[in-house]
Amino acid sequence: MTIKKIISIGLLVFIPISIAAEYLEWGALTVFITAALAIVPLAIWLSTATEEVAIAVGPSIGALLNAVFGNATELIIALVALKSGLVDIVKASITGTIISNLLLVMGLSMLFGGVRYKEQEFQPIVARVNGSSMTLAAIAIVLPTTVIYTSNGVEDAAIRNLSLIAAIVLIAVYALTLLFSLKTHSYLYEVGLVELETEDGENTEAEKPNLKLWLAVLVISTIAVAFESEIFVGAVEEATKGLGLTPLFTGVILLPLVGGAAEYVTAVSVAIKNNMELSVSVAMGSSLLVALLVAPVLVLVGFVIGQPMDLNFNPFEVVAVAIAVLIANLISLDGRSNWLEGTLLLATYIVLGTAFYFHPV
């Protein structure tokens, strides 16, 4: 049994525990911790179900399904937090997810893969395309903040309109990246799926998953993630205040660790199997999905439901995203990785995380 399966089954016990903690009022900290642990296996089941449905419906629709729903857990948590008015935490979670995928996930993958194999290779052109798209997304995140800090005074309406236009542009760019990766240049992205391998390495491509079963798992896990997210978000402010954590640190560091568990496990496990190409695709693809789709969608949803969600981020968040994009691009451009490069990414993440911890709000 793989580590991913052990986590996805073993941590399910925290679902009833978190519900009991919520309704029996065991305290905000207990609710926060148990709900966070309950979301982790649900995120893995949601991710696995998405991948299995994608295999069952065929490569074209399946690739699109993976591309659109790859970060469903993060989106659900962010939507629940946005509905609750926790806009600062939602913004921090966007930048935090980008930073954690580029630095933590890629760092762990390159470190563990590099310990087992002296050097690993992946297609540099994919890294360059993803890096260029990430640079555009970083620019879109930087601009509204730059407008504010380089002007004598900017009305909230102007920032909101700028954010809406940027959101529409980013969604259009994401649609074009899908066209590029799934249609016109799909041959560049032909990487193996770890789910298509059994533990002894045999290919199971001939046997398609049960579509009805995995659709049911997808629906149930999505509902369960939404339910647990309500419990988690309801306790997050009180619990983190009790721990002395700021909303900035909570959003940038804690929420991505909870919502992105499935991506972390997948990326590291395939890197250990010497499939660094898939590992890099998971890490950078997840960052792209958040920057080019999840963030713009949250801006549009915030506009519809009357929450002041825009792309005006904390200046230090902007700097951190720029650093993450820059170092990830520099390390991945040559299409090779080793354990030292993974260590450098992890060191950058630890320093940034420490800075966010001590950063006053």
Side-chain angles (χ1 to χ4, degrees):
M1 185 176 287
T2 63
I3 296 176
K4 189 173 181 179
K5 288 181 180 178
I6 293 172
I7 294 173
S8 65
I9 296 173
L11 293 184
L12 287 175
V13 68
F14 284 100
I15 296 176
I17 293 176
S18 64
I19 295 173
E22 167 73 6
Y23 289 98
L24 297 179
E25 299 181 353
W26 290 353
L29 183 59
T30 303
V31 173
F32 173 77
I33 294 174
T34 55
L37 291 173
I39 290 174
V40 171
L42 291 174
I44 294 175
W45 279 109
L46 178 56
S47 174
T48 303
T50 302
E51 292 162 357
E52 294 291 342
V53 171
I55 295 170
V57 297
S60 299
I61 299 176
L64 181 62
L65 189 66
N66 268 320
V68 175
F69 293 100
N71 286 75
T73 304
E74 289 94 330
L75 179 59
I76 292 170
I77 295 174
L79 287 172
V80 173
L82 183 61
K83 188 185 73 172
S84 302
L86 304 178
V87 178
D88 290 339
I89 290 181
V90 172
K91 289 182 180 180
S93 70
I94 292 171
T95 55
T97 302
I98 295 172
I99 293 167
S100 64
N101 279 313
L102 293 179
L103 299 180
L104 179 61
V105 178
M106 280 184 61
L108 288 173
S109 300
M110 290 181 179
L111 174 61
F112 285 102
V115 168
R116 188 169 184 181
Y117 302 95
K118 188 172 183 179
E119 192 172 69
Q120 295 178 292
E121 296 182 359
F122 50 91
Q123 292 194 45
I125 187 170
V126 175
R128 286 200 296 272
V129 171
N130 287 338
S132 300
S133 302
M134 276 305 309
T135 302
L136 168 67
I139 291 172
I141 290 174
V142 168
L143 280 179
T145 304
T146 306
V147 168
I148 288 180
Y149 283 89
T150 56
S151 306
N152 293 327
V154 182
E155 295 182 359
D156 292 340
I159 294 298
R160 184 172 62 250
N161 292 334
L162 173 60
S163 298
L164 288 172
I165 293 172
I168 293 170
V169 171
L170 290 177
I171 291 174
V173 169
Y174 186 69
L176 292 175
T177 63
L178 291 183
L179 178 64
F180 181 87
S181 61
L182 302 181
K183 189 69 175 177
T184 64
H185 291 69
S186 59
Y187 60 91
L188 298 176
Y189 295 81
E190 291 175 355
V191 295
L193 289 173
V194 69
E195 282 73 18
L196 295 181
E197 297 177 352
T198 59
E199 291 184 12
D200 61 0
E202 293 179 359
N203 194 302
T204 59
E205 199 171 3
E207 185 179 341
K208 283 197 172 185
N210 187 321
L211 180 59
K212 291 183 179 179
L213 171 64
W214 286 108
L215 277 174
V217 173
L218 181 63
V219 172
I220 293 172
S221 57
T222 301
I223 295 172
V225 167
F227 180 77
E228 285 291 342
S229 297
E230 290 276 0
I231 297 175
F232 177 74
V233 170
V236 67
E237 277 193 303
E238 186 179 346
T240 52
K241 280 181 181 178
L243 293 172
L245 304 177
T246 63
L248 183 63
F249 180 83
T250 301
V252 172
I253 303 299
L254 294 186
L255 291 190
L257 293 178
V258 174
E263 287 85 6
Y264 299 175
V265 174
T266 298
V268 174
S269 62
V270 296
I272 294 174
K273 295 179 180 179
N274 202 27
N275 192 348
M276 182 55 69
E277 195 159 317
L278 178 56
S279 184
V280 171
S281 295
V282 168
M284 298 195 79
S286 183
S287 296
L288 270 179
L289 180 57
V290 170
L292 298 180
L293 185 64
V294 173
V297 165
L298 290 171
V299 170
L300 297 177
V301 171
F303 176 76
V304 172
I305 67 177
Q307 292 289 355
M309 177 67 193
D310 53 42
L311 295 177
N312 174 26
F313 292 88
N314 181 302
F316 187 63
E317 292 179 76
V318 171
V319 172
V321 169
I323 291 173
V325 172
L326 176 62
I327 190 171
N329 283 345
L330 288 175
I331 285 181
S332 62
L333 279 179
D334 62 350
R336 296 173 179 271
S337 66
N338 53 60
W339 65 264
L340 180 59
E341 290 180 334
T343 303
L344 294 176
L345 290 173
L346 291 174
T348 306
Y349 181 78
I350 292 171
V351 171
L352 284 176
T354 304
F356 277 112
Y357 178 78
F358 289 107
H359 190 286
V361 178

